[in-house]
Amino acid sequence: QERGMAIRQTIDGGYAVFGTAASYWGAGDVVGIHGNHPDCWLVKLDSSGNIIGQNCYGGYLDYQLGFSMDATFDNGFILAGVTSYDTGMVSGYHGNSNNL
């Protein structure tokens, strides 16, 4: 149950994909998911589509959804998404409003 929302080609010819992972408890290719709720998921792929790196951003309560990504001038990425809980890994939570 992974969903890519943004993809960017990297300077090495590979790709970075950002979205949401919901393969709970480490099922499938997702490594590092937090608990049984969706996390934001950043994946680095080589030019053949093989996973060469990944990171999950989230917490053990509620959900985190990844929506958008862009490359930065230092070969990093800026990521945008939403969270429904102050996870400690994802900042910017301003209370429970049930609005995305």
Side-chain angles (χ1 to χ4, degrees):
Q1 292 185 334
E2 287 66 56
R3 180 174 296 162
M5 297 298 287
I7 187 168
R8 299 290 181 267
Q9 188 165 25
T10 55
I11 61 171
D12 62 1
Y15 295 90
V17 180
F18 184 60
T20 302
S23 288
Y24 308 127
W25 306 111
D29 291 324
V30 179
V31 175
I33 198 160
H34 301 93
N36 60 352
H37 297 281
D39 281 353
C40 294
W41 191 37
L42 178 63
V43 182
K44 176 67 171 76
L45 306 172
D46 65 17
S47 59
S48 298
N50 300 304
I51 294 175
I52 59 174
Q54 62 181 296
N55 202 358
C56 287
Y57 303 95
Y60 291 95
L61 299 172
D62 290 328
Y63 61 86
Q64 293 75 45
L65 306 174
F67 287 118
S68 183
M69 164 186 65
D70 210 348
T72 61
F73 291 108
D74 62 355
N75 297 321
F77 299 97
I78 187 166
L79 309 173
V82 298
T83 183
S84 66
Y85 189 75
D86 184 2
T87 67
M89 289 185 71
V90 179
S91 62
Y93 177 73
H94 299 287
N96 186 5
S97 67
N98 294 321
N99 295 316
L100 297 179

